[in-house]
Amino acid sequence: MTSSSLNPAPADAAERRKAPAIVCYSVDKVPPYDRPFYEAARQGLTEIAATIVPPREARTFEVPAGHFFRIVSIEGPQVGDLNLWNAHDLSERFFSGKTRALHATHVSTGDRLWSTLPNLRPMATITHDTLDWYGWDADGGGVHDVIGTRCDPYTQRLLAGTDYHHCCHSNLTRALAAHQGLSRVSAESHVHDVLNVFMCTGFTRDTHQYFMKASPVRPGDFIEFFAEIDLLGALSACPGGDCSASHSSDAAKCYPLKVEIHRPRAELLSQWRPPERSAYSRSHGL
Ligand SMILES: [Zn+2]
């Protein structure tokens, strides 16, 4: 929205603007984060698999329900673009917009990554975040946003007139195609808005435009998730590196990311069950 208005403000403009701001959803009704359960489950984890995501590339990984996965910074500050699908049904995938509406523009420990309609269930729960100290900075920025979409070659062509083939959108498409045995054209339609792992972003105070700044992530930092359902994940090590200056080019210094899969103690899995898809899709129909 441009700041230069064409229409004069009405006489009661100030009064209209004074309407109270109400949080859109009754988020206090979201099933609470069961911290004792997840904290207990985190004790005694066994790493069972690991994947290195090379710079400017993406890799897939699978996480059985009831297991944990960590995205780890290993060599230098690097942002990751994360997609998640139901491992058995690619039509159920991460719903960035509803996750934003139910939690916030940026997510951390205790927040859930929700799946698309008609499922609307937690796909994953964030159980640890070594960057939770960052909070909100003086620019209004925070870490791990669900407001950006992913860098893509179409926007690059639109804005710069140039072609770049290692945008996160392209990387995620190629990785999913390889994993599923799909053509890249078929795989592309399954790629969706991401969780921007480790990315530091916000909206400018004056014009409310999306901004990025250097990620505070350092080697050893990680964000950890509990897989609520069987997951297929794809992670792109963004060509923007720490996203301090540019993306969609080879200009930025980039580093690999590591994805670790961890299995909890057996007794946890014997008592725990994945969340159901939304009951609405079964009881009412459309
Ligand atoms: Zn990117």
Side-chain angles (χ1 to χ4, degrees):
M1 188 166 62
T2 60
S3 55
S4 54
S5 163
L6 296 176
N7 294 285
D12 62 348
E15 192 179 338
R16 294 193 207 181
R17 288 191 174 112
K18 271 194 287 187
I22 305 294
V23 172
C24 287
Y25 284 106
S26 303
V27 288
D28 55 322
K29 301 286 198 306
V30 173
Y33 174 61
D34 186 352
R35 184 180 298 275
F37 169 79
Y38 291 105
E39 282 299 321
R42 297 185 68 238
Q43 306 308 313
L45 294 178
T46 304
E47 185 176 333
I48 58 170
T51 301
I52 299 294
V53 183
R56 296 189 170 83
E57 297 285 354
R59 291 290 184 270
T60 55
F61 55 94
E62 294 182 57
V63 195
H67 288 55
F68 290 80
F69 68 100
R70 287 179 183 167
I71 299 173
V72 188
S73 169
I74 50 173
E75 291 183 17
Q78 175 64 46
V79 163
D81 285 51
L82 178 69
N83 266 191
L84 291 176
W85 298 268
N86 177 334
H88 313 290
D89 174 9
L90 294 188
S91 74
E92 184 179 10
R93 61 196 194 189
F94 172 51
F95 193 172
S96 165
K98 192 64 76 181
T99 298
R100 181 190 326 135
L102 289 174
H103 295 297
T105 54
H106 300 69
V107 291
S108 188
T109 305
D111 293 331
R112 279 62 177 274
L113 305 189
W114 295 83
S115 68
T116 44
L117 309 182
N119 309 287
L120 197 64
R121 59 177 164 174
M123 305 180 81
T125 297
I126 302 174
T127 50
H128 199 77
D129 172 16
T130 64
L131 291 173
D132 63 3
W133 56 267
Y134 192 87
W136 303 107
D137 64 31
D139 294 314
V143 184
H144 312 305
D145 80 70
V146 282
I147 49 179
T149 53
R150 59 201 176 274
C151 57
D152 74 83
Y154 306 96
T155 306
Q156 175 70 10
R157 171 59 83 91
L158 173 75
L159 300 180
T162 57
D163 291 339
Y164 184 69
H165 305 304
H166 286 273
C167 291
C168 290
H169 174 84
S170 311
N171 299 340
L172 293 167
T173 298
R174 283 191 289 264
L176 181 66
H179 181 274
Q180 296 294 101
L182 294 170
S183 70
R184 291 178 181 176
V185 171
S186 297
E188 184 177 22
S189 63
H190 297 291
V191 173
H192 50 276
D193 287 351
V194 301
L195 168 60
N196 274 312
V197 175
F198 302 141
M199 192 168 181
C200 186
T201 60
F203 293 110
T204 58
R205 295 212 188 276
D206 50 355
T207 58
H208 294 226
Q209 288 174 290
Y210 186 43
F211 74 76
M212 62 183 189
K213 56 194 288 185
S215 171
V217 70
R218 297 293 180 269
D221 278 321
F222 67 91
I223 183 169
E224 179 188 274
F225 306 81
F226 179 82
E228 302 283 353
I229 62 174
D230 287 343
L231 291 175
L232 170 63
L235 182 71
S236 171
C238 182
D242 69 354
C243 289
S244 58
S246 65
H247 55 79
S248 303
S249 77
D250 285 335
K253 178 74 179 151
C254 288
Y255 299 93
L257 290 168
K258 185 182 182 193
V259 181
E260 300 172 351
I261 314 300
H262 293 261
R263 184 179 60 217
R265 297 185 316 276
E267 57 265 34
L268 174 89
L269 296 177
S270 67
Q271 296 159 19
W272 173 84
R273 294 288 174 271
E276 298 279 342
R277 296 173 194 262
S278 170
Y280 176 81
S281 62
R282 296 192 305 275
S283 62
H284 300 279
L286 288 172

